[in-house]
Amino acid sequence: MAHDLFEAARDAMKFAHAPYSKFPVGAAIRADDGRIYTGANIENLSFPQGWCAEPTAIGCMIMGGGKKIVEMAVIAEKLALCPPCGGCRQKISEFASADTKIYLCDEVGVQKIMTMDELLPLSFKTDILG
């Protein structure tokens, strides 16, 4: 089941706008509506005004009607098993549960599976704060 997310993330990475870092990243979310939403990083010369692949995919999910992340794949062209950055981990946790699976990929597929809780064990909890 994760293979389709890997392929979607890999395909999304082709749309990255990374002229400054030269570090394309793609992400794919399977949402609670069963659909797959994708995103790529989009840089801007005025750092840090660009955004990562993961929030791009989250924005697509929300605008497409999805509410929750069921599972997610992330791939970077130049770094195998690239995890989401710290800020993205908190953004993902807003729409995920502690046991949501995050697939870290290389050029051939999913190579590591982590839960959201493993990636961000002390996240802000929306049920407490909001």
Side-chain angles (χ1 to χ4, degrees):
M1 196 162 162
H3 189 73
D4 60 343
L5 283 179
F6 156 71
E7 289 178 341
R10 184 190 59 205
D11 291 346
M13 185 171 57
K14 296 173 189 170
F15 293 97
H17 177 73
Y20 310 109
S21 72
K22 310 281 193 271
F23 191 76
V25 179
I29 293 169
R30 186 181 326 279
D32 56 339
D33 62 4
R35 294 178 54 199
I36 294 176
Y37 299 92
T38 62
N41 55 322
I42 303 169
E43 295 178 351
N44 185 286
L45 182 58
S46 179
F47 291 115
Q49 296 304 310
W51 53 94
C52 298
E54 298 89 343
T56 304
I58 290 169
C60 288
M61 177 187 77
I62 295 301
M63 295 305 295
K67 305 272 189 240
K68 287 289 191 184
I69 298 171
V70 174
E71 55 187 349
M72 182 175 206
V74 179
I75 186 170
E77 184 177 275
K78 297 180 179 180
L79 179 63
L81 305 149
C82 181
C85 72
C88 285
R89 292 176 195 205
Q90 184 61 50
K91 289 177 180 93
I92 295 165
S93 74
E94 181 85 9
F95 301 96
S97 65
D99 61 344
T100 296
K101 288 184 175 71
I102 309 296
Y103 306 111
L104 306 183
C105 305
D106 66 9
E107 70 278 355
V108 296
V110 174
Q111 299 301 326
K112 185 170 183 135
I113 302 171
M114 301 186 75
T115 65
M116 195 61 232
D117 195 49
E118 290 172 320
L119 278 174
L120 189 62
L122 299 174
S123 66
F124 289 144
K125 305 292 184 196
T126 56
D127 57 339
I128 296 169
L129 298 178

